[in-house]
Amino acid sequence: MRPHSLEVTAFGAFAGTVRVDFDDLASSGLFLLHGETGAGKSTLLDALGFALYGRVPGERGIVRRLRSDHAGATERTSVRLEVTIGGRRLRITRTPEQSRPKVRGEGRTTEPAKVLLERWTGAGWDLVSNRVGEADDEITTRLGMTADQFFQVILLPQGEFARFLRAPSDERVVLLERLFGTDRFRDVEQWLAERRRTTSATLDRRRDGIAQRVALIASIAEVEPPAGLPDALWASDLSATAAAAVDIAVRTVAERGVDLENARAAAEATRALARRQERRVEADRRAAELAAAEPAIAALAAECEAATAAAGVLPLLTALQSADRSRAQARELDRAARERAVAAGAGPADGPAALRAAARECERRSGSLADLHAVAADVAAEERAAAAARASAAELATQLAAAAKAGPALAERRTALLARREGARDAAVQLPAAQRTADALADAARTAAELAQESTSAEELRQRHLEAREHAQTLAEEHLRLRRDRIDAMAAELAARLEEGTPCPVCGSLDHPDKPVLSPGRVTRGQEEAAGAAAEQARAAAETVGAAHAAAVAKVESARGRLGAMAGTPADELAARAKQAAAKRDELATVAATATTVDAALADVDGSIAELAQVTTKAEEARAGAERDAAAADTRAARLRATLAERLDGAPDLATAIAAAAEGAAARTAAADAREALDRAETARTEARTAAVTAADDAGFPDLDAAAGAVRDASWRAQAAERVRAHRAAVDGVAAVLADPDLDVPTMPPADLEAAAAAVARATTDHQNAVIALADARGRVSQLGTLVPALVDDLAALPGIATEAERIKSLAELVAGQGANTRRMTLSAFVLAARLEEVATVASERLLRMTQGRYSLVHTDTGRDGRRRAGLGLLARDNWTGVDRDTATLSGGETFLASLALALGLADVVCAEAGGARLESLFVDEGFGSLDSETLDEVMDVLDGLREGGRIVGVVSHVAELKQRIPAQLHVRKRETGSDVVAVVA
């Protein structure tokens, strides 16, 4: 990996856009990146890592604050890197997730992270990918290392390897596992452990299955299960015993079946006798009932014979009743018609001929009166004409009165419209100034409301920041307390791992007579790590809240600046003033908008005044003519009414006279008709009675009442005849039943059905019990036929399963540092120990050179705490004294040299592990200020050696002496508005 140029915008300490040309800086292979503390030196390395992997190393990657606080609201955070990886030149442009102002409307929106990966073809840049996941996979594949490996072997982090050098073995595991990817070895350990649990569980399940099957077989055979594992002969004997029991049960079922058939035959004979007795008793009872009903049946037969005779007289009786009803109706009609005719002027004793002659005279008078309809119509027409003329005159008078009132009103309205037109013109002149005032006050009110809201938010965030800092401090103190408690309990933890026959890792003794006991409330490593993680999360959360508070304060100051002189005015007062100004503006706009409407209304009023004068003149002329027409029509109607009255003979009007004549004719005619109908009804009634009396006498009845009393309807006659017939048939049937020889049996004593049923029930129960016993015996044989072979198979397979479980257990204990593993190291720890030993060897070559041959690094399987399970111990060998020293005893400068050598050695080994990829770039971010001049010369010689083969080496430091030693420099300058960079190339 060789970078060519880096361009960052609004990133970290850089508010604007800065560009670094690595090709110019790397002309001599070594360049210095220097500047004040906090200027942004490490930010450039962060940008390099962000461009490649989308994240930054170390603690800064956890906080995830990439955007510059100095950048403007419209400036987008981005990083662009041109780099050669694996012989191919690429350009990577990456932007993080960030907030920006909305293009439309107010507020902000979140823009997702983006990446653009391009490849140089010689003629230009071609797109490789613009999808985050796809581009990340392409870059990681070409680099041949993960982000963690890159941050450790190319961006050598400040202070990271000093901590690694002095850390206990458990903490070294975290970094080494991340760099060397020993997950596959840990996966092997976990797979074997899981395989051990699986095979052990399988063995336990098989043993449990055998025990359950033995218990089930014993339960089925109804015997006590044996102690321990049985042999196959035990189960076979139980199967033979069960088969013999089946034969016995078969014979028992046959015997009980014969007994059951005999009991059923005896019961059937008893039931047959009981049925014959029941039939004889029933026949005797029925014969007695029929004899008792004989008198009633005889009476019913006589009544039925009389009803049959009366059926022939019934039509004549019905005709007589109809004639009686017709005569009564005719009498009523004659009475009513006679009263009507008398009311119309006829005589009470007039006969039909006199009534019809008077009716014809009334009809002639009605015809003569009808000729007067034309005269009556003329009278009505003249009256309508007079009324219409008077109504027209009244309406015209009303119009004249309204016109008289409308004149002053129109004049008054014209004066008001003239005043409104002047007011609209004045409002149009004042409207622009009112609009400007309303807009200014509205902006001020919104800004003041925003200021109040942001001030409240800033205060809340300040309180939250204080609380978050206190919470983070409390968690940090709790983490330190737990760490101290765990260190105090480490002796008990070490004792807990001791096993009988295993040497103590401290003293080597095989005896452990007085082991410390773990306290139930002891602090575990997991609790310590959880407390540390919680403290770190609380610290990060406090920083996040602090950043939010700073942003809120900035918004408050911005709002105050926009308010200017009105900054001290309360928001509600500004809102009220803005509302008043808006109301004034709206009022003026409304008034100004009425100018056109007022002009149109004024023209309408002028036209109405002129039209009113014309209408008044015409209405006066029309009213005089209508009054004259009404007087003439009244005179003509009076003459016609006098003529009509002379011919009505005292009737109030023509319609009444015509109606009286018509009623006289109709009433007389109806009276004549009613009298003639009454005479005919009397004759018909006499004839019907004579015929009915003759028919009753012929049927044998003494009179009409006797014949009517014997009448029955057809349904009754049919039912009565059927009852008589059914009775006589029942008498014949009972006599036939009693004559049957089969019923010649004594009725006493009755047959004993209960005793017969009890005998059948006992025989049935005995047979069912025998069948159930046979089924149980056969079921035991069937179940044992399945279970016994399975038990024999399980007993045969058990030794092999036990052997396999023991073999897997031994192998799992071996890779887990237990059992036969004398080193007490896990497989992954053993691999990491080998890698660390290789790193120590490579690092010692450079450390010997930087320390004039005094110090080298030595790997040891025993950690600082005396344990061997981790196998990741490091010692500093002092070749002047021959003593292997704890790395914690090195001075500050010696620690820096050892850390730098360790970092470089680790980089070489990781690259070899990654397939031998060549490191074309290396950035060292370490504390060179702890070195004396002579040692600094040795370190510079080592760094110069790293330039072999065209490698770029960047040194990050603010040590002044390095400025004299390294001519190619990149100076990062700190500014209040954001840092910038200046390149110096000799």
Side-chain angles (χ1 to χ4, degrees):
M1 191 283 295
R2 186 182 186 89
H4 300 289
S5 65
L6 176 68
E7 184 177 287
V8 298
T9 301
F11 188 90
F14 304 100
T17 300
V18 298
R19 189 175 189 279
V20 178
D21 193 330
F22 290 109
D23 289 338
D24 291 344
L25 292 171
S27 57
S28 59
L30 181 66
F31 70 91
L32 174 66
L33 178 61
H34 68 94
E36 301 170 278
T37 300
K41 301 184 294 298
S42 297
T43 300
L44 293 176
L45 303 186
D46 290 347
L48 186 65
F50 176 73
L52 292 171
Y53 293 99
R55 64 186 182 93
V56 299
E59 300 295 330
R60 297 183 299 278
I62 299 176
V63 177
R64 298 177 63 86
R65 287 195 63 202
L66 303 179
R67 180 169 175 78
S68 174
D69 294 334
H70 301 284
T74 59
E75 195 77 52
R76 302 276 78 78
T77 299
S78 65
V79 175
R80 172 173 290 179
L81 173 66
E82 289 188 24
V83 60
T84 296
I85 304 175
R88 175 168 293 181
R89 185 157 181 159
L90 303 174
R91 183 168 69 183
I92 308 167
T93 305
R94 195 184 293 269
T95 60
E97 180 182 285
Q98 54 191 304
S99 175
R100 63 168 175 80
K102 291 183 178 179
V103 177
R104 295 182 179 86
E106 299 181 354
R108 303 183 68 82
T109 186
T110 300
E111 197 172 77
K114 299 178 182 177
V115 66
L116 178 64
L117 178 61
E118 301 171 288
R119 177 183 59 208
W120 177 256
T121 61
W125 294 100
D126 282 353
L127 175 66
V128 176
S129 177
N130 59 2
R131 290 182 290 187
V132 174
E134 186 177 74
D136 291 347
D137 292 342
E138 175 72 15
I139 295 169
T140 302
T141 300
R142 290 193 172 277
L143 282 171
M145 62 180 69
T146 64
D148 291 331
Q149 291 175 327
F150 180 85
F151 294 150
Q152 292 292 342
V153 304
I154 292 181
L155 303 181
L156 302 186
Q158 179 177 351
E160 185 74 20
F161 283 94
R163 289 193 296 271
F164 178 76
L165 181 69
R166 295 174 175 173
S169 296
D170 291 343
E171 295 183 10
R172 290 197 182 106
V173 169
V174 178
L175 175 63
L176 294 176
E177 284 182 342
R178 196 165 62 233
L179 294 179
F180 291 109
T182 58
D183 293 343
R184 58 188 184 278
F185 300 106
R186 191 175 294 279
D187 291 343
V188 170
E189 296 173 10
Q190 294 176 354
W191 182 85
L192 284 172
E194 180 62 27
R195 181 65 177 160
R196 173 185 178 179
R197 287 191 293 269
T198 302
T199 54
S200 178
T202 300
L203 178 60
D204 292 340
R205 285 196 301 272
R206 187 58 65 93
R207 286 174 175 166
D208 292 342
I210 290 174
Q212 292 174 1
R213 191 167 280 119
V214 167
L216 183 57
I217 290 173
S219 175
I220 292 171
E222 297 180 351
V223 299
E224 288 295 327
L229 295 178
D231 54 15
L233 184 59
W234 172 78
S236 300
D237 291 343
L238 293 178
S239 296
T241 302
V246 170
D247 296 337
I248 297 173
V250 169
R251 291 193 296 272
T252 303
V253 168
E255 295 172 356
R256 298 295 178 267
V258 172
D259 295 341
L260 177 60
E261 290 300 325
N262 293 335
R264 285 175 176 171
E268 181 59 31
T270 302
R271 286 194 294 272
L273 176 60
R275 287 194 295 270
R276 293 169 64 194
Q277 290 177 336
E278 289 176 358
R279 289 177 60 197
R280 177 56 185 268
V281 170
E282 178 61 23
D284 291 342
R285 182 190 64 77
R286 182 60 176 158
E289 289 179 352
L290 291 172
E294 182 61 32
I297 293 300
L300 180 64
E303 184 179 0
C304 184
E305 184 178 355
T308 302
V313 183
L314 181 61
L316 298 175
L317 293 174
T318 302
L320 176 59
Q321 292 174 352
S322 178
D324 287 340
R325 289 194 297 273
S326 297
R327 185 183 65 174
Q329 292 175 355
R331 286 177 177 176
E332 180 63 25
L333 291 174
D334 177 68
R335 184 191 61 76
R338 175 65 62 176
E339 290 178 355
R340 180 183 175 189
V342 171
D350 290 345
L355 291 172
R356 293 188 184 281
R360 288 193 293 272
E361 182 61 29
C362 290
E363 289 174 354
R364 285 193 296 271
R365 174 167 172 74
S366 178
S368 63
L369 290 174
D371 295 339
L372 297 177
H373 279 300
V375 178
D378 291 341
V379 172
E382 292 298 338
E383 290 177 346
R384 287 195 300 272
R390 282 193 295 272
S392 178
E395 182 180 356
L396 291 171
T398 301
Q399 292 179 1
L400 289 171
K405 294 180 180 180
L410 288 173
E412 183 178 353
R413 176 168 172 73
R414 188 174 188 280
T415 302
L417 288 172
L418 290 174
R420 286 181 60 193
R421 184 172 63 180
E422 292 301 322
R425 290 174 179 175
D426 293 342
V429 174
Q430 300 173 19
L431 182 59
Q435 180 68 52
R436 290 191 297 271
T437 301
D439 291 344
L441 287 173
D443 290 340
R446 283 194 296 272
T447 304
E450 179 184 348
L451 174 60
Q453 182 178 358
E454 294 298 338
S455 298
T456 302
S457 177
E459 179 59 25
E460 292 177 354
L461 288 171
R462 186 182 72 82
Q463 293 295 334
R464 287 176 53 194
H465 186 208
L466 293 176
E467 293 172 358
R469 286 172 56 189
E470 293 177 358
H471 181 58
Q473 181 63 30
T474 301
L475 291 181
E477 293 173 355
E478 176 64 12
H479 177 223
L480 293 176
R481 184 189 67 77
L482 291 176
R483 185 176 181 84
R484 287 194 300 268
D485 292 347
R486 184 168 177 269
I487 291 173
D488 294 340
M490 281 184 177
E493 289 186 14
L494 179 61
R497 297 188 179 95
L498 295 178
E499 299 176 1
E500 293 300 330
T502 303
C504 176
V506 178
C507 64
S509 174
L510 295 176
D511 298 325
H512 316 300
D514 189 18
K515 294 192 296 183
V517 178
L518 285 172
S519 172
R522 68 184 181 89
V523 178
T524 64
R525 178 180 177 181
Q527 290 175 322
E528 179 192 347
E529 291 177 350
E536 180 58 28
Q537 291 176 357
R539 185 192 63 78
E543 291 185 358
T544 302
V545 176
H549 174 239
V553 171
K555 291 180 180 179
V556 169
E557 295 302 325
S558 174
R560 286 176 178 165
R562 294 196 303 273
L563 281 174
M566 289 185 287
T569 305
D572 54 354
E573 180 180 342
L574 286 174
R577 291 170 57 186
K579 185 176 181 180
Q580 293 173 356
K584 180 63 176 177
R585 175 204 59 202
D586 295 341
E587 180 183 354
L588 291 173
T590 302
V591 174
T594 61
T596 303
T597 304
V598 171
D599 289 339
L602 188 59
D604 290 343
V605 168
D606 290 339
S608 297
I609 291 173
E611 183 181 357
L612 181 62
Q614 297 177 358
V615 168
T616 300
T617 301
K618 292 180 180 180
E620 289 176 349
E621 294 175 354
R623 183 184 63 178
E627 290 176 348
R628 287 193 298 271
D629 292 342
D634 286 338
T635 301
R636 291 191 296 271
R639 284 198 302 268
L640 291 172
R641 280 196 296 273
T643 301
L644 186 62
E646 291 177 358
R647 298 181 60 181
L648 292 181
D649 294 335
D653 52 38
L654 179 60
T656 302
I658 292 174
E663 173 60 18
R668 288 172 174 81
T669 300
D673 292 341
R675 175 54 56 90
E676 292 173 352
L678 177 61
D679 293 342
R680 289 193 296 273
E682 289 287 357
T683 301
R685 193 265 177 187
T686 300
E687 292 174 352
R689 179 173 177 78
T690 301
V693 169
T694 300
D697 183 64
D698 293 342
F701 293 105
D703 52 33
L704 292 179
D705 292 337
V711 171
R712 301 289 187 272
D713 59 31
S715 174
W716 183 94
R717 294 196 305 274
Q719 290 177 359
E722 176 60 25
R723 286 182 60 190
V724 172
R725 185 200 62 76
H727 177 79
R728 290 170 180 167
V731 170
D732 295 339
V734 170
V737 169
L738 291 174
D740 186 359
D742 192 45
L743 296 187
D744 188 14
V745 295
T747 58
M748 294 301 291
D752 194 351
L753 295 175
E754 293 183 359
V760 172
R762 287 193 298 273
T764 301
T765 301
D766 293 342
H767 182 262
Q768 289 177 345
N769 291 336
V771 171
I772 293 172
L774 176 59
D776 291 342
R778 286 174 174 169
R780 281 193 293 273
V781 169
S782 176
Q783 290 176 310
L784 292 176
T786 301
L787 294 173
V788 169
L791 176 61
V792 172
D793 293 342
D794 287 347
L795 291 173
L798 186 61
I801 297 174
T803 302
E804 174 68 9
E806 184 61 30
R807 183 177 66 83
I808 294 297
K809 176 183 177 183
S810 299
L811 187 56
E813 289 178 345
L814 181 66
V815 299
Q818 301 170 355
N821 189 335
T822 57
R823 287 181 175 270
R824 293 294 183 257
M825 294 175 62
T826 64
L827 176 61
S828 57
F830 180 79
V831 173
L832 289 178
R835 294 290 187 269
L836 183 59
E837 185 174 10
E838 186 178 356
V839 170
T841 300
V842 176
S844 294
E845 296 178 2
R846 292 192 175 93
L847 183 58
L848 286 169
R849 181 177 177 184
M850 288 188 290
T851 60
Q852 294 84 39
R854 179 176 182 181
Y855 288 110
S856 60
L857 295 176
V858 179
H859 165 257
T860 175
D861 287 342
T862 303
R864 183 178 300 165
D865 54 7
R867 291 184 298 165
R868 301 182 63 195
R869 290 180 63 86
L872 300 178
L874 275 179
L875 296 175
R877 175 164 293 171
D878 190 341
N879 294 310
W880 290 1
T881 63
V883 176
D884 292 342
R885 297 168 51 185
D886 192 310
T887 53
T889 63
L890 297 176
S891 66
E894 291 170 342
T895 298
F896 167 71
L897 296 177
S899 301
L900 180 60
L902 182 62
L904 296 175
L906 190 61
D908 291 341
V909 175
V910 169
C911 289
E913 180 76 10
R918 174 175 172 74
L919 289 179
E920 297 182 88
S921 304
L922 188 66
F923 297 89
V924 182
D925 189 359
E926 277 290 351
F928 291 91
S930 61
L931 304 180
D932 55 65
S933 298
E934 184 177 353
T935 304
L936 185 59
D937 289 338
E938 297 296 337
V939 172
M940 292 304 299
D941 289 341
V942 171
L943 294 178
D944 284 338
L946 295 176
R947 295 184 296 172
E948 296 177 358
R951 177 185 292 166
I952 301 174
V953 180
V955 177
V956 182
S957 179
H958 50 70
V959 176
E961 189 173 348
L962 289 178
K963 297 180 184 179
Q964 308 301 323
R965 294 175 178 269
I966 304 175
Q969 300 176 10
L970 185 65
H971 183 196
V972 182
R973 300 182 300 183
K974 183 163 60 175
R975 297 285 189 270
E976 290 185 2
T977 57
S979 301
D980 59 8
V981 297
V982 177
V984 178
V985 181

